[in-house]
Amino acid sequence: MRENDMLEKEEIYSKVLRAGRRTYFFDVRATKADDYYITITESKKFTEEDGSFHFKKHKIYLYKEDFAAFEEILGDMTSYILNHKGEEVISERHQKDFKKEFSNEALENENTPKVSSFTDIDFDDI
């Protein structure tokens, strides 16, 4: 069998999720016995100081007998995170180009002099 024929047989169904520097590839592939399984590949782009770049890839193979448990645990984990931390993406704060947005109230409070409690003493009274 030619290499191209083999690739055509393996690539049954695919979807891509682009997420910033990361790209996720979801592929349905066929085993030698012509059963299907899923591969999930994370590809992350790294840029060097000289402008060159490379990709690091990590792959997960997921077989039919594990689908139900995988789906249940993934759903449980995503629900846990959303319930405890909400949908705001706080990791954006750690990116090089993140700019914190200030509210007018925060700026007004920052420019207001702080008053502490003290006793006013006139030294002429002593």
Side-chain angles (χ1 to χ4, degrees), residues 23-92:
T23 302
Y24 299 97
F25 299 92
F26 298 85
D27 299 299
V28 174
R29 300 197 179 268
T31 64
K32 289 180 182 178
D34 205 29
D35 202 0
Y36 291 170
Y37 65 98
I38 297 171
T39 60
I40 303 170
T41 307
E42 176 201 37
S43 179
K44 190 171 182 182
K45 184 178 183 178
F46 290 89
T47 306
E48 305 295 333
E49 289 181 15
D50 65 0
S52 64
F53 58 89
H54 67 278
F55 294 92
K56 286 189 179 177
K57 294 182 180 183
H58 303 290
K59 190 173 281 206
I60 295 172
Y61 295 84
L62 188 59
Y63 298 94
K64 287 194 305 190
E65 60 268 22
D66 302 321
F67 286 0
F70 187 92
E71 184 177 22
E72 180 182 338
I73 291 171
L74 181 62
D76 183 44
M77 301 305 267
T78 55
S79 293
Y80 179 88
I81 291 170
L82 294 174
N83 289 336
H84 286 84
K85 294 294 181 179
E87 293 188 22
E88 178 192 6
V89 180
I90 60 174
S91 61
E92 289 176 352

Coordinates of all heavy atoms in Angstrom, one line a residue, residues 23-92:
T23 N -2.5 25.4 19.2 CA -3.5 24.9 18.3 C -3.8 23.4 18.7 O -2.8 22.7 19.0 CB -3.0 24.9 16.9 OG1 -2.6 26.3 16.5 CG2 -4.0 24.4 15.9
Y24 N -5.0 23.1 18.8 CA -5.4 21.7 19.1 C -6.0 21.1 17.9 O -6.9 21.6 17.2 CB -6.5 21.7 20.2 CG -6.0 22.4 21.5 CD1 -6.3 23.7 21.8 CD2 -5.3 21.6 22.4 CE1 -5.8 24.3 23.0 CE2 -4.8 22.2 23.6 CZ -5.1 23.5 23.9 OH -4.6 24.1 25.0
F25 N -5.5 19.9 17.6 CA -6.0 19.1 16.4 C -6.8 17.9 17.0 O -6.2 17.1 17.8 CB -4.9 18.6 15.6 CG -4.1 19.7 15.0 CD1 -2.9 20.2 15.7 CD2 -4.4 20.3 13.8 CE1 -2.2 21.3 15.1 CE2 -3.7 21.3 13.2 CZ -2.5 21.8 13.9
F26 N -8.0 17.7 16.6 CA -8.8 16.6 17.0 C -9.0 15.7 15.7 O -9.6 16.2 14.7 CB -10.2 17.0 17.5 CG -10.1 17.9 18.8 CD1 -9.9 19.2 18.7 CD2 -10.2 17.3 20.0 CE1 -9.8 20.0 19.8 CE2 -10.1 18.1 21.2 CZ -9.9 19.4 21.1
D27 N -8.5 14.5 15.7 CA -8.6 13.7 14.6 C -9.2 12.3 14.9 O -8.8 11.7 15.9 CB -7.2 13.4 14.0 CG -6.5 14.7 13.6 OD1 -7.0 15.4 12.7 OD2 -5.4 15.1 14.1
V28 N -10.1 11.9 14.0 CA -10.6 10.5 14.1 C -9.7 9.7 13.2 O -9.5 10.1 12.0 CB -12.0 10.4 13.7 CG1 -12.5 8.9 13.6 CG2 -12.9 11.1 14.6
R29 N -9.1 8.6 13.7 CA -8.2 7.8 12.9 C -8.7 6.3 12.9 O -9.5 6.0 13.8 CB -6.8 7.9 13.4 CG -6.3 9.3 13.4 CD -4.8 9.4 13.5 NE -4.3 10.7 13.4 CZ -3.9 11.3 12.3 NH1 -3.9 10.7 11.2 NH2 -3.4 12.5 12.4
A30 N -8.1 5.5 12.1 CA -8.5 4.1 12.0 C -7.3 3.2 12.5 O -6.2 3.5 12.1 CB -8.9 3.7 10.6
T31 N -7.7 2.2 13.2 CA -6.7 1.2 13.6 C -6.5 0.2 12.4 O -7.2 0.3 11.4 CB -7.1 0.3 14.8 OG1 -8.3 -0.4 14.4 CG2 -7.4 1.2 16.0
K32 N -5.5 -0.7 12.5 CA -5.3 -1.7 11.4 C -6.5 -2.6 11.3 O -6.7 -3.1 10.2 CB -4.0 -2.5 11.8 CG -2.7 -1.7 11.6 CD -1.6 -2.6 11.9 CE -0.3 -1.8 11.8 NZ 0.9 -2.6 12.2
A33 N -7.2 -2.7 12.3 CA -8.5 -3.6 12.3 C -9.7 -2.8 11.8 O -10.8 -3.2 11.8 CB -8.7 -4.2 13.6
D34 N -9.4 -1.5 11.4 CA -10.4 -0.6 10.9 C -11.5 -0.2 11.9 O -12.6 0.0 11.6 CB -11.2 -1.2 9.6 CG -11.7 -0.1 8.8 OD1 -11.2 1.0 8.7 OD2 -12.8 -0.3 8.1
D35 N -11.0 -0.1 13.2 CA -11.8 0.5 14.2 C -11.3 1.9 14.4 O -10.3 2.3 14.0 CB -11.6 -0.3 15.5 CG -12.8 -0.1 16.5 OD1 -13.8 0.7 16.1 OD2 -12.8 -0.6 17.6
Y36 N -12.2 2.8 15.0 CA -11.8 4.2 15.1 C -11.3 4.6 16.5 O -11.8 4.0 17.5 CB -13.0 5.1 14.8 CG -13.4 5.1 13.3 CD1 -14.6 5.7 12.9 CD2 -12.6 4.5 12.3 CE1 -15.0 5.7 11.6 CE2 -13.0 4.5 11.0 CZ -14.2 5.1 10.6 OH -14.6 5.1 9.3
Y37 N -10.5 5.6 16.6 CA -10.0 6.2 17.8 C -9.8 7.6 17.6 O -9.8 8.1 16.4 CB -8.8 5.5 18.4 CG -7.6 5.6 17.5 CD1 -6.6 6.5 17.8 CD2 -7.4 4.8 16.4 CE1 -5.4 6.7 17.0 CE2 -6.2 4.9 15.6 CZ -5.3 5.8 15.9 OH -4.2 6.0 15.1
I38 N -9.6 8.4 18.6 CA -9.3 9.9 18.5 C -7.9 10.2 18.9 O -7.4 9.6 19.9 CB -10.3 10.6 19.5 CG1 -11.7 10.4 19.0 CG2 -10.0 12.1 19.5 CD1 -12.8 11.0 20.0
T39 N -7.3 11.1 18.2 CA -6.0 11.7 18.7 C -6.3 13.1 18.9 O -7.0 13.8 18.1 CB -4.9 11.5 17.7 OG1 -5.2 12.2 16.5 CG2 -4.5 10.1 17.4
I40 N -5.8 13.6 20.0 CA -5.8 15.1 20.4 C -4.4 15.5 20.4 O -3.6 15.0 21.2 CB -6.5 15.3 21.7 CG1 -8.0 14.7 21.7 CG2 -6.6 16.8 22.0 CD1 -8.6 14.7 23.1
T41 N -4.0 16.5 19.6 CA -2.7 17.0 19.5 C -2.7 18.4 19.9 O -3.4 19.2 19.3 CB -2.1 16.8 18.1 OG1 -2.2 15.4 17.7 CG2 -0.6 17.2 18.0
E42 N -1.8 18.8 20.8 CA -1.6 20.2 21.2 C -0.3 20.6 20.5 O 0.7 19.9 20.7 CB -1.5 20.4 22.7 CG -1.1 21.8 23.1 CD -0.5 22.0 24.4 OE1 0.3 21.1 24.9 OE2 -0.8 23.0 25.1
S43 N -0.3 21.7 19.7 CA 0.9 22.2 19.1 C 1.0 23.6 19.6 O 0.1 24.4 19.5 CB 0.7 22.2 17.6 OG 1.8 22.7 17.0
K44 N 2.2 23.9 20.2 CA 2.4 25.2 20.8 C 3.7 25.8 20.1 O 4.7 25.2 20.0 CB 2.7 25.1 22.3 CG 2.7 26.4 23.0 CD 2.8 26.2 24.5 CE 2.8 27.5 25.3 NZ 2.9 27.3 26.7
K45 N 3.5 27.1 19.6 CA 4.5 27.8 18.9 C 5.4 28.5 19.9 O 5.0 29.3 20.8 CB 3.9 28.8 17.9 CG 4.9 29.5 17.1 CD 4.2 30.4 16.1 CE 5.1 31.1 15.2 NZ 4.4 32.0 14.2
F46 N 6.7 28.3 19.7 CA 7.8 29.0 20.5 C 8.6 29.9 19.6 O 9.1 29.4 18.6 CB 8.6 28.1 21.3 CG 7.9 27.4 22.4 CD1 7.2 26.2 22.2 CD2 7.9 27.9 23.7 CE1 6.6 25.5 23.2 CE2 7.2 27.2 24.7 CZ 6.5 26.1 24.4
T47 N 8.7 31.2 19.9 CA 9.5 32.1 19.1 C 10.8 32.4 19.8 O 10.8 32.7 21.0 CB 8.7 33.4 18.8 OG1 7.5 33.1 18.3 CG2 9.5 34.3 17.9
E48 N 11.9 32.3 19.1 CA 13.2 32.6 19.6 C 13.5 34.0 19.5 O 12.9 34.8 18.8 CB 14.3 31.8 18.8 CG 14.1 30.3 18.8 CD 14.1 29.6 20.2 OE1 14.8 30.1 21.1 OE2 13.5 28.6 20.4
E49 N 14.6 34.5 20.2 CA 14.9 35.9 20.1 C 15.3 36.4 18.7 O 15.1 37.6 18.4 CB 16.1 36.2 21.1 CG 15.7 36.1 22.6 CD 16.8 36.4 23.5 OE1 17.8 36.9 23.1 OE2 16.6 36.1 24.7
D50 N 15.9 35.5 17.9 CA 16.3 35.9 16.6 C 15.1 35.8 15.6 O 15.3 36.1 14.4 CB 17.4 34.9 16.1 CG 17.0 33.5 15.9 OD1 15.8 33.2 16.2 OD2 17.8 32.7 15.5
G51 N 13.9 35.6 16.1 CA 12.7 35.6 15.2 C 12.4 34.2 14.6 O 11.3 34.0 14.1
S52 N 13.3 33.2 14.8 CA 12.9 31.9 14.3 C 11.9 31.3 15.3 O 11.8 31.8 16.4 CB 14.2 31.0 14.2 OG 14.8 30.9 15.5
F53 N 11.3 30.2 14.9 CA 10.3 29.6 15.8 C 10.3 28.1 15.6 O 10.8 27.6 14.6 CB 8.9 30.2 15.5 CG 8.4 30.0 14.1 CD1 7.7 28.9 13.8 CD2 8.6 31.0 13.2 CE1 7.3 28.7 12.5 CE2 8.2 30.9 11.9 CZ 7.5 29.7 11.5
H54 N 9.8 27.4 16.6 CA 9.6 26.0 16.5 C 8.3 25.6 17.2 O 7.7 26.4 17.9 CB 10.8 25.2 17.1 CG 11.0 25.4 18.5 ND1 11.6 26.5 19.1 CD2 10.6 24.6 19.6 CE1 11.6 26.4 20.4 NE2 10.9 25.2 20.7
F55 N 7.8 24.4 17.0 CA 6.6 23.9 17.6 C 6.9 22.7 18.5 O 7.7 21.9 18.1 CB 5.6 23.5 16.5 CG 5.1 24.6 15.7 CD1 5.7 24.9 14.5 CD2 4.0 25.4 16.1 CE1 5.3 26.0 13.7 CE2 3.5 26.4 15.3 CZ 4.2 26.7 14.1
K56 N 6.2 22.7 19.6 CA 6.3 21.5 20.5 C 4.9 20.9 20.4 O 3.9 21.6 20.5 CB 6.6 21.9 21.9 CG 8.0 22.3 22.2 CD 8.4 22.4 23.6 CE 9.8 22.8 23.8 NZ 10.1 22.9 25.2
K57 N 4.9 19.6 20.2 CA 3.6 18.9 20.1 C 3.5 17.8 21.2 O 4.4 17.1 21.5 CB 3.5 18.2 18.7 CG 3.5 19.3 17.6 CD 3.3 18.6 16.3 CE 3.3 19.7 15.2 NZ 3.1 19.1 13.9
H58 N 2.3 17.7 21.7 CA 1.9 16.6 22.6 C 0.7 15.9 22.1 O -0.3 16.6 21.7 CB 1.7 17.2 24.0 CG 2.8 18.0 24.5 ND1 4.0 17.4 24.9 CD2 3.0 19.3 24.7 CE1 4.8 18.3 25.3 NE2 4.2 19.5 25.2
K59 N 0.6 14.6 22.2 CA -0.5 13.9 21.6 C -1.1 12.9 22.6 O -0.4 12.3 23.4 CB 0.0 13.1 20.3 CG -1.1 12.5 19.5 CD -0.6 11.9 18.2 CE -0.4 13.0 17.3 NZ -0.5 12.6 15.9
I60 N -2.4 12.8 22.6 CA -3.2 11.9 23.4 C -3.9 11.0 22.5 O -4.6 11.5 21.5 CB -4.2 12.7 24.3 CG1 -3.4 13.5 25.3 CG2 -5.1 11.7 25.0 CD1 -4.4 14.4 26.1
Y61 N -3.9 9.7 22.7 CA -4.7 8.7 22.0 C -5.9 8.3 22.9 O -5.7 7.9 24.0 CB -3.9 7.5 21.6 CG -2.7 7.8 20.7 CD1 -1.5 8.3 21.2 CD2 -2.9 7.6 19.3 CE1 -0.5 8.6 20.3 CE2 -1.8 7.9 18.5 CZ -0.6 8.4 19.0 OH 0.4 8.7 18.1
L62 N -7.1 8.4 22.3 CA -8.3 8.1 23.1 C -9.1 7.0 22.4 O -9.5 7.2 21.2 CB -9.1 9.3 23.3 CG -10.3 9.3 24.3 CD1 -9.8 8.8 25.7 CD2 -11.0 10.6 24.3
Y63 N -9.2 5.9 23.0 CA -9.9 4.7 22.4 C -11.4 4.6 22.9 O -11.7 5.1 24.0 CB -9.1 3.4 22.7 CG -7.8 3.5 22.1 CD1 -6.7 3.9 22.8 CD2 -7.6 3.2 20.7 CE1 -5.4 4.0 22.2 CE2 -6.3 3.3 20.1 CZ -5.2 3.7 20.9 OH -4.0 3.8 20.3
K64 N -12.2 4.0 22.1 CA -13.6 3.9 22.3 C -14.0 3.4 23.7 O -14.9 4.0 24.4 CB -14.3 3.0 21.3 CG -14.5 3.7 20.0 CD -15.4 2.9 19.0 CE -15.1 1.5 18.9 NZ -15.9 0.8 17.8
E65 N -13.3 2.5 24.2 CA -13.6 1.9 25.5 C -13.4 2.9 26.7 O -13.9 2.8 27.8 CB -12.8 0.6 25.8 CG -11.3 0.8 25.8 CD -10.6 0.5 24.5 OE1 -11.3 0.6 23.4 OE2 -9.4 0.2 24.5
D66 N -12.7 4.0 26.4 CA -12.4 5.1 27.4 C -13.3 6.3 27.2 O -13.2 7.2 28.0 CB -11.0 5.5 27.4 CG -10.0 4.3 27.6 OD1 -10.4 3.4 28.5 OD2 -9.0 4.2 27.0
F67 N -14.1 6.4 26.1 CA -14.8 7.6 25.8 C -15.7 8.1 26.9 O -15.7 9.2 27.3 CB -15.7 7.4 24.5 CG -15.0 7.4 23.2 CD1 -13.6 7.6 23.2 CD2 -15.7 7.2 22.1 CE1 -12.9 7.6 21.9 CE2 -15.0 7.2 20.8 CZ -13.6 7.4 20.8
A68 N -16.6 7.2 27.5 CA -17.5 7.6 28.5 C -16.9 8.1 29.7 O -17.2 9.2 30.2 CB -18.4 6.4 28.8
A69 N -15.9 7.4 30.2 CA -15.2 7.9 31.4 C -14.4 9.2 31.2 O -14.4 10.1 32.0 CB -14.2 6.8 31.9
F70 N -13.8 9.3 30.0 CA -13.1 10.5 29.6 C -14.0 11.7 29.6 O -13.7 12.8 30.1 CB -12.4 10.3 28.3 CG -11.4 11.4 27.9 CD1 -10.1 11.4 28.2 CD2 -11.9 12.5 27.2 CE1 -9.2 12.4 27.9 CE2 -11.1 13.6 26.8 CZ -9.7 13.5 27.1
E71 N -15.1 11.5 28.9 CA -16.1 12.6 28.8 C -16.7 13.0 30.1 O -16.8 14.2 30.4 CB -17.3 12.1 27.8 CG -18.3 13.2 27.6 CD -19.4 12.7 26.6 OE1 -19.6 11.5 26.5 OE2 -20.0 13.5 26.0
E72 N -17.0 12.0 31.0 CA -17.5 12.3 32.3 C -16.5 13.1 33.1 O -16.8 14.1 33.8 CB -17.8 11.0 33.0 CG -18.4 11.2 34.4 CD -18.7 9.9 35.1 OE1 -18.9 8.9 34.5 OE2 -18.7 9.9 36.4
I73 N -15.2 12.7 33.2 CA -14.2 13.3 34.0 C -13.9 14.7 33.4 O -13.8 15.7 34.1 CB -12.9 12.5 34.1 CG1 -13.2 11.3 34.9 CG2 -11.8 13.3 34.7 CD1 -12.1 10.2 34.9
L74 N -13.8 14.9 32.1 CA -13.6 16.2 31.5 C -14.7 17.1 31.8 O -14.5 18.3 32.2 CB -13.4 16.0 29.9 CG -13.1 17.3 29.2 CD1 -11.8 18.0 29.6 CD2 -13.1 17.1 27.7
G75 N -16.0 16.7 31.7 CA -17.1 17.5 32.1 C -17.1 17.9 33.5 O -17.3 19.1 33.9
D76 N -16.7 17.0 34.4 CA -16.6 17.3 35.8 C -15.5 18.3 36.1 O -15.7 19.2 36.9 CB -16.3 16.0 36.6 CG -16.3 16.2 38.1 OD1 -17.2 16.9 38.6 OD2 -15.3 15.6 38.7
M77 N -14.4 18.1 35.5 CA -13.3 19.1 35.7 C -13.6 20.5 35.2 O -13.3 21.5 35.8 CB -12.0 18.5 35.0 CG -11.5 17.2 35.5 SD -11.3 17.1 37.3 CE -9.6 17.5 37.4
T78 N -14.2 20.6 34.0 CA -14.5 21.9 33.4 C -15.6 22.6 34.3 O -15.5 23.8 34.6 CB -14.9 21.8 32.0 OG1 -16.0 20.9 31.8 CG2 -13.8 21.4 31.1
S79 N -16.6 21.8 34.7 CA -17.6 22.4 35.6 C -17.0 22.9 36.9 O -17.4 23.9 37.4 CB -18.7 21.3 35.9 OG -19.4 21.0 34.7
Y80 N -16.1 22.1 37.5 CA -15.5 22.5 38.7 C -14.8 23.8 38.6 O -14.9 24.7 39.4 CB -14.5 21.4 39.2 CG -13.8 21.7 40.4 CD1 -14.3 21.4 41.7 CD2 -12.5 22.4 40.4 CE1 -13.7 21.7 42.9 CE2 -11.9 22.7 41.6 CZ -12.4 22.4 42.8 OH -11.8 22.7 44.0
I81 N -14.0 24.0 37.5 CA -13.2 25.2 37.3 C -14.2 26.4 37.1 O -14.0 27.4 37.7 CB -12.3 25.0 36.1 CG1 -11.1 24.1 36.5 CG2 -11.7 26.4 35.7 CD1 -10.3 23.7 35.3
L82 N -15.2 26.2 36.2 CA -16.1 27.3 36.0 C -16.9 27.7 37.2 O -17.2 28.9 37.5 CB -17.0 27.0 34.8 CG -16.3 26.8 33.5 CD1 -17.3 26.3 32.4 CD2 -15.7 28.1 33.0
N83 N -17.3 26.7 38.0 CA -18.0 27.0 39.3 C -17.2 27.7 40.3 O -17.7 28.5 41.1 CB -18.6 25.7 39.8 CG -19.8 25.2 39.0 OD1 -20.4 25.9 38.3 ND2 -20.0 23.9 39.1
H84 N -15.9 27.3 40.4 CA -15.0 27.9 41.4 C -14.3 29.2 41.0 O -14.0 30.0 41.8 CB -14.0 26.9 41.9 CG -14.6 25.8 42.8 ND1 -15.3 24.7 42.3 CD2 -14.7 25.8 44.1 CE1 -15.7 24.0 43.3 NE2 -15.4 24.6 44.4
K85 N -14.0 29.3 39.7 CA -13.3 30.5 39.2 C -14.0 31.3 38.1 O -13.5 32.4 37.7 CB -11.9 30.0 38.6 CG -11.0 29.4 39.6 CD -10.6 30.5 40.6 CE -9.6 29.9 41.6 NZ -9.2 30.9 42.6
G86 N -15.2 30.9 37.7 CA -15.9 31.7 36.7 C -15.3 31.5 35.3 O -14.3 30.7 35.1
E87 N -15.8 32.3 34.4 CA -15.3 32.2 33.0 C -14.2 33.2 32.7 O -13.7 33.2 31.6 CB -16.5 32.4 32.1 CG -17.4 31.2 32.2 CD -18.5 31.2 31.1 OE1 -18.3 31.8 30.1 OE2 -19.5 30.5 31.3
E88 N -13.9 34.2 33.6 CA -12.8 35.2 33.3 C -11.5 34.5 33.1 O -11.1 33.6 33.9 CB -12.7 36.2 34.4 CG -11.6 37.2 34.2 CD -11.3 38.0 35.4 OE1 -11.8 37.7 36.5 OE2 -10.5 38.9 35.3
V89 N -10.8 34.8 32.1 CA -9.4 34.2 31.9 C -8.4 35.1 32.5 O -8.0 36.1 32.0 CB -9.2 34.1 30.3 CG1 -7.8 33.5 30.1 CG2 -10.3 33.3 29.7
I90 N -7.9 34.7 33.7 CA -7.0 35.6 34.4 C -5.6 35.4 34.0 O -4.7 36.2 34.3 CB -7.1 35.3 36.0 CG1 -6.8 33.9 36.3 CG2 -8.4 35.8 36.5 CD1 -6.8 33.6 37.8
S91 N -5.3 34.3 33.2 CA -3.9 34.1 32.8 C -3.5 35.1 31.8 O -2.3 35.3 31.6 CB -3.8 32.7 32.2 OG -4.6 32.5 31.1
E92 N -4.4 35.9 31.2 CA -4.0 36.9 30.3 C -3.2 38.0 31.0 O -2.4 38.7 30.3 CB -5.3 37.6 29.6 CG -6.0 36.7 28.7 CD -7.3 37.2 28.1 OE1 -7.7 38.3 28.6 OE2 -7.9 36.6 27.2

